Amino acid sequence: MGAHVVFADSQTVVKFGRSRSLKGGIHPYIVMSYERGESLAQYWDRVSKPEQNRILQQSQEDYMNQMREIPDNFIGGLDESPCRDGIFEADNGDYTCYSYGPYASEESFNEGIIQALRDRMRPKVLERENDTESNFFNSEYMLYQTVRGLKNHKIVFTHGDLHPGNIVVWADGTVVLLDWGLAGFWPENWEFYRALFNPPWRASWDRMVEKFIPPFYVEHSVLKRVFGTVWN
């Protein structure tokens, strides 16, 4: 995204770069701790099965369980900023140029997803959306109704980008999560969807995920279809 990362000292790094999201396009910076460790993908292949299970258990107990006990009453970024996800970025790609949310409820969040689906279409195309004989818009309508069926989920603190590259292990076996740039408050099913979003580094990752993140397979299937539709 055009950012630069430099060491301030042996334990601190600074990320900086011009930001169009801030008034005047000023140069913000983020100061972060440097976590020296081994990526989960590398660590996994050289340790025993009991150690692999310990890593998953620690990820669940020290991160997931505690994070999901932090609720809020909106869906969006930590600072009540708009929702950032590929679902809302079709034909855009620059998250500083769009605004979906924050949302006050899961119901309004679902309507935001539906709006993102509609926004991908040109106004001329949308003129036909009430044509009940249109196979395309009947399919769209059914997808909208399916999205509206996602309900009764708690809103919880969510990392939002848990893949093996963002999970490292210290020399003493401590698990550390990196890259909290997509963290925020989302429906409780969102973490599972996002953890399965990227192509897995190995086939078994899909089954690993449910051992430390509560699984929501139906919701994952719906959101995966939404993403594929938005970007088709």
Side-chain angles (χ1 to χ4, degrees), residues 49-77:
K49 186 68 174 179
E51 174 62 8
Q52 292 174 349
N53 291 335
R54 187 196 67 79
I55 290 295
L56 296 178
Q57 183 177 3
Q58 186 186 72
S59 299
Q60 179 192 54
E61 295 177 354
D62 291 356
Y63 290 104
M64 285 303 104
N65 290 353
Q66 295 183 44
M67 287 165 57
R68 297 170 79 82
E69 290 177 359
I70 305 174
D72 217 308
N73 58 3
F74 72 92
I75 298 172

Side-chain angles (χ1 to χ4, degrees), residues 104-120:
S105 66
E106 185 176 20
E107 181 181 18
S108 59
F109 172 66
N110 290 341
E111 293 303 317
I113 292 177
I114 292 169
Q115 186 61 52
L117 284 162
R118 288 167 51 81
D119 286 347
R120 85 188 195 278

Side-chain angles (χ1 to χ4, degrees), residues 122-187:
R122 296 187 301 276
K124 191 71 174 176
V125 175
L126 281 171
E127 290 177 2
R128 296 187 54 222
E129 70 174 328
N130 293 321
D131 180 1
T132 57
E133 297 304 321
S134 166
N135 289 330
F136 174 78
F137 279 110
N138 281 339
S139 178
E140 286 286 304
Y141 175 78
M142 293 181 67
L143 179 56
Y144 299 166
Q145 295 302 92
T146 301
V147 170
R148 290 184 174 116
L150 301 177
K151 57 182 66 175
N152 300 323
H153 297 100
K154 296 185 294 184
I155 300 173
V156 298
F157 180 51
T158 302
H159 180 281
D161 197 17
L162 285 178
H163 58 76
N166 283 339
I167 304 174
V168 300
V169 185
W170 283 351
D172 66 359
T174 301
V175 178
V176 178
L177 304 185
L178 306 180
D179 194 355
W180 295 79
L182 295 179
F185 290 93
W186 297 81

Side-chain angles (χ1 to χ4, degrees), residues 1-231:
M1 303 294 286
H4 302 279
V5 180
V6 298
F7 276 90
D9 57 42
S10 62
Q11 297 181 331
T12 310
V13 294
V14 178
K15 178 187 288 187
F16 64 94
R18 190 173 182 83
S19 173
R20 285 175 290 171
S21 64
L22 299 179
K23 188 175 181 180
I26 63 174
H27 294 265
Y29 60 89
I30 305 172
V31 179
M32 300 173 284
S33 63
Y34 176 64
E35 302 299 338
R36 185 184 301 275
E38 189 175 5
S39 72
L40 178 65
Q42 293 177 319
Y43 188 81
W44 193 265
D45 287 332
R46 68 174 186 79
V47 298
S48 65
K49 186 68 174 179
E51 174 62 8
Q52 292 174 349
N53 291 335
R54 187 196 67 79
I55 290 295
L56 296 178
Q57 183 177 3
Q58 186 186 72
S59 299
Q60 179 192 54
E61 295 177 354
D62 291 356
Y63 290 104
M64 285 303 104
N65 290 353
Q66 295 183 44
M67 287 165 57
R68 297 170 79 82
E69 290 177 359
I70 305 174
D72 217 308
N73 58 3
F74 72 92
I75 298 172
L78 285 178
D79 55 352
E80 298 191 47
S81 55
C83 296
R84 284 185 57 194
D85 185 76
I87 284 175
F88 304 110
E89 297 174 7
D91 298 324
N92 192 318
D94 180 1
Y95 72 88
T96 66
C97 297
Y98 67 88
S99 181
Y100 292 89
Y103 299 100
S105 66
E106 185 176 20
E107 181 181 18
S108 59
F109 172 66
N110 290 341
E111 293 303 317
I113 292 177
I114 292 169
Q115 186 61 52
L117 284 162
R118 288 167 51 81
D119 286 347
R120 85 188 195 278
M121 292 181 274
R122 296 187 301 276
K124 191 71 174 176
V125 175
L126 281 171
E127 290 177 2
R128 296 187 54 222
E129 70 174 328
N130 293 321
D131 180 1
T132 57
E133 297 304 321
S134 166
N135 289 330
F136 174 78
F137 279 110
N138 281 339
S139 178
E140 286 286 304
Y141 175 78
M142 293 181 67
L143 179 56
Y144 299 166
Q145 295 302 92
T146 301
V147 170
R148 290 184 174 116
L150 301 177
K151 57 182 66 175
N152 300 323
H153 297 100
K154 296 185 294 184
I155 300 173
V156 298
F157 180 51
T158 302
H159 180 281
D161 197 17
L162 285 178
H163 58 76
N166 283 339
I167 304 174
V168 300
V169 185
W170 283 351
D172 66 359
T174 301
V175 178
V176 178
L177 304 185
L178 306 180
D179 194 355
W180 295 79
L182 295 179
F185 290 93
W186 297 81
E188 59 184 327
N189 57 287
W190 194 259
E191 195 84 86
F192 185 74
Y193 156 66
R194 286 292 305 169
L196 295 182
F197 179 79
N198 294 302
W201 109 89
R202 59 193 309 153
S204 58
W205 170 250
D206 289 356
R207 299 196 190 190
M208 270 183 235
V209 169
E210 70 173 11
K211 294 183 179 179
F212 67 98
I213 301 176
F216 290 87
Y217 284 104
V218 172
E219 293 85 343
H220 169 265
S221 295
V222 173
L223 293 169
K224 183 178 180 180
R225 182 185 170 194
V226 168
F227 181 89
T229 301
V230 165
W231 284 96

